[in-house]
Amino acid sequence: VGPAGGRTEKPYLILTKRSESVRQPGDLCFPGGGAAPRFDMAFAKLLTLPGFPFANWRRRRTGEHAPINHRRLPHYLATSLRESFEEMRLVPIGLDFLGALPPHRLVLYDRVIYPMVAWARRRQFFRANGEVEKVVFIPLKALLDSNNYAYFRLVYPPNLPVDIDTSNRDTPCFIHQHKGENEVLWGATYRIVETFLAQVFDFSSPGISDLPRINNHLATDYFPTRG
């Protein structure tokens, strides 16, 4: 989370849109990925030094319980900052680490996401790499507006390459309108954002029964292959 630039800017949630060169293209997501053990371990040690993001966060804490092991937090933060720099050239200087959200297990992949939350105090000039089609700025005010929510009715293709419960077809989503285009936030990223809004702002999105429906036709290549 951070401003798009300047002191007069309103706060935005900064996401990326996945390019056609990666899995699940077109989805909105946070920058992230797997750990690079050697680099991330060294970077994590740097982050714990006085004046760096993790040390500043630890100094501000007042003893509240964190959702994951504190010893691993610098490593998760190091990985997230490295991936953010690689994917969109997010510069770690000027970031305030705000803490961690609860881990989130993915449905289609045997992976766990450890979301890290930070505030960008300085104007950033992003440049997307090949994994990212574009960087998307969603105003926090819009995320707190119930009128911007809908739900996807998932339409699965025949002969799915993975075994999943296709009876679970309805999922909430957020509609971001910008310059005449709609970007849809859904899935794992939506659930992480939903947790953030609930914990920080005590905000809950409307129930599905109160939302308009959008059909989401998923292509076969959206899903991982067996084995």
Side-chain angles (χ1 to χ4, degrees):
V1 179
R7 291 187 178 181
T8 60
E9 292 285 353
K10 298 177 181 179
Y12 288 79
L13 182 73
I14 303 173
L15 300 173
T16 62
K17 185 174 183 179
R18 299 170 68 86
S19 73
E20 294 293 332
S21 65
V22 296
R23 290 176 175 174
Q24 300 175 333
D27 278 2
L28 297 182
C29 66
F30 295 107
R38 289 187 178 180
F39 181 90
D40 291 349
M41 185 175 295
F43 190 23
K45 292 180 179 179
L46 179 65
L47 294 175
T48 62
L49 295 177
F52 284 84
F54 186 78
N56 292 341
W57 170 80
R58 187 166 52 189
R59 188 184 69 250
R60 293 193 306 266
R61 292 186 67 248
T62 58
E64 70 274 15
H65 177 69
I68 58 180
N69 191 329
H70 281 197
R71 294 182 180 181
R72 298 298 305 169
L73 273 178
H75 299 274
Y76 297 138
L77 180 59
T79 299
S80 65
L81 291 177
R82 174 183 53 77
E83 287 283 346
S84 297
F85 178 79
E86 292 176 0
E87 293 184 19
M88 54 192 286
R89 290 298 184 262
L90 174 70
V91 178
I93 298 174
L95 289 183
D96 288 331
F97 177 50
L98 302 183
L101 293 174
H104 183 87
R105 183 170 293 278
L106 296 179
V107 175
L108 294 179
Y109 299 90
D110 186 22
R111 297 176 184 171
V112 178
I113 299 175
Y114 296 92
M116 304 288 107
V117 184
W119 173 263
R121 289 183 281 109
R122 300 181 181 180
R123 185 180 180 90
Q124 296 265 354
F125 297 93
F126 298 113
R127 187 172 73 252
N129 71 356
E131 300 177 20
V132 176
E133 178 183 325
K134 63 180 179 180
V135 179
V136 178
F137 299 86
I138 301 180
L140 186 57
K141 182 179 179 180
L143 287 163
L144 298 173
D145 185 347
S146 298
N147 294 320
N148 293 325
Y149 288 82
Y151 78 92
F152 266 176
R153 169 64 56 86
L154 300 178
V155 181
Y156 294 98
N159 303 318
L160 279 176
V162 292
D163 295 323
I164 61 174
D165 180 12
T166 57
S167 65
N168 185 19
R169 301 174 59 197
D170 296 338
T171 181
C173 63
F174 171 85
I175 309 299
H176 172 52
Q177 299 179 347
H178 181 65
K179 294 183 178 180
E181 296 183 2
N182 288 344
E183 301 286 357
V184 181
L185 173 63
W186 74 291
T189 307
Y190 173 90
R191 291 188 290 272
I192 292 170
V193 172
E194 185 178 43
T195 300
F196 170 76
L197 296 176
Q199 289 194 3
V200 178
F201 299 99
D202 196 26
F203 174 81
S204 298
S205 58
I208 282 182
S209 60
D210 301 321
L211 297 175
R213 189 182 82 184
I214 302 173
N215 285 335
N216 181 20
H217 294 263
L218 298 174
T220 302
D221 58 6
Y222 185 88
F223 301 88
T225 57
R226 290 187 177 92

